[in-house]
Amino acid sequence: MITMNDIIREGNPTLRLPAEEITFPLDEETKKLGQDMLEFLQNSQDPELAEKYQLRAGVGLAAPQLDISKRIIAVHIPDMEDETNEPILSAVMINPKVVSHSVQSACLAEGEGCLSVDREVPGYVPRHSRVTVTYLDLNGEQQKIRLKNYPAIVVQHEIDHINGIMFYDHINQDAPFKLDDNVSIIS
């Protein structure tokens, strides 16, 4: 089971390296890694398990955050509008790529956080408000999804991790809360 002790923090060089493509068929170790990453996110969103295992809540995790330089991410995004708490998106994505995106950008009103960053980083993180992403699932089947707003932002954050990019690289260093006209703020 993955815990916070397994997650490396900013300053570790693995977080700045472009991760390696994964080849198929998947070995059992890579399949288990994907399943464990998704399980961590689910556990981190369960108040009892999060408290028991001292987990910070997360909606996305990339293998480089576990000091594994492979192009694999997991996302588990709850639907805050739905009382059953069924996720909007719950997936393990291998070799994910943004294949198209909107001109319009968006950012989260409260900024972004990261399980590998133990500090508040103030500022807006502009990202594409809509993206189309292709990836392979754990069975090696090609998937293509279209995402907008919050789910699009989460997936772009995780894809950045496999490209050696941290969320705060997108913040305007001179004016952290200054945005271009084409950026909408998601609250």
Side-chain angles (χ1 to χ4, degrees):
M1 182 179 127
I2 295 172
T3 68
M4 292 303 296
N5 292 335
D6 299 306
I7 296 173
I8 60 174
R9 303 307 201 273
E10 63 181 324
N12 186 305
T14 302
L15 292 172
R16 289 302 191 172
L17 296 174
E20 297 169 22
E21 286 272 326
I22 294 176
T23 56
F24 282 81
L26 287 183
D27 56 34
E28 288 306 311
E29 187 180 328
T30 304
K31 281 184 186 174
K32 182 167 178 8
L33 171 64
Q35 292 162 344
D36 288 350
M37 289 167 63
L38 190 58
E39 179 190 55
F40 168 85
L41 296 173
Q42 292 163 341
N43 291 346
S44 79
Q45 293 174 30
D46 179 308
E48 286 177 23
L49 291 175
E51 185 176 347
K52 179 178 178 181
Y53 296 110
Q54 299 295 295
L55 307 177
R56 273 176 49 200
V59 291
L61 184 64
Q65 292 179 273
L66 300 169
D67 210 8
I68 299 167
S69 192
K70 290 185 176 181
R71 299 184 79 78
I72 181 170
I73 68 172
V75 293
H76 188 75
I77 305 169
D79 184 348
M80 299 305 189
E81 312 290 312
D82 182 9
E83 290 173 20
T84 64
N85 232 5
E86 282 300 307
I88 295 172
L89 177 62
S90 186
V92 174
M93 301 179 184
I94 298 169
N95 302 331
K97 289 182 183 74
V98 174
V99 293
S100 67
H101 60 78
S102 61
V103 174
Q104 175 75 28
S105 294
C107 65
L108 300 178
E110 69 277 4
E112 290 185 21
C114 179
L115 293 168
S116 291
V117 178
D118 291 331
R119 61 189 173 99
E120 290 277 322
V121 182
Y124 290 133
V125 182
R127 298 188 182 276
H128 304 297
S129 59
R130 293 174 185 265
V131 291
T132 301
V133 176
T134 59
Y135 66 93
L136 295 160
D137 64 21
L138 289 175
N139 298 319
E141 293 177 21
Q142 184 73 38
Q143 303 292 330
K144 183 177 183 176
I145 55 171
R146 289 180 177 82
L147 303 168
K148 65 180 183 177
N149 298 330
Y150 185 65
I153 287 171
V154 171
V155 171
Q156 288 173 88
H157 177 114
E158 298 312 322
I159 289 175
D160 271 358
H161 274 304
I162 61 175
N163 290 320
I165 299 166
M166 299 294 284
F167 75 92
Y168 47 74
D169 296 344
H170 296 284
I171 297 173
N172 180 330
Q173 297 306 308
D174 299 325
F177 292 99
K178 183 175 187 283
L179 291 172
D180 294 335
D181 292 340
N182 74 331
V183 181
S184 58
I185 298 174
I186 300 170
S187 44

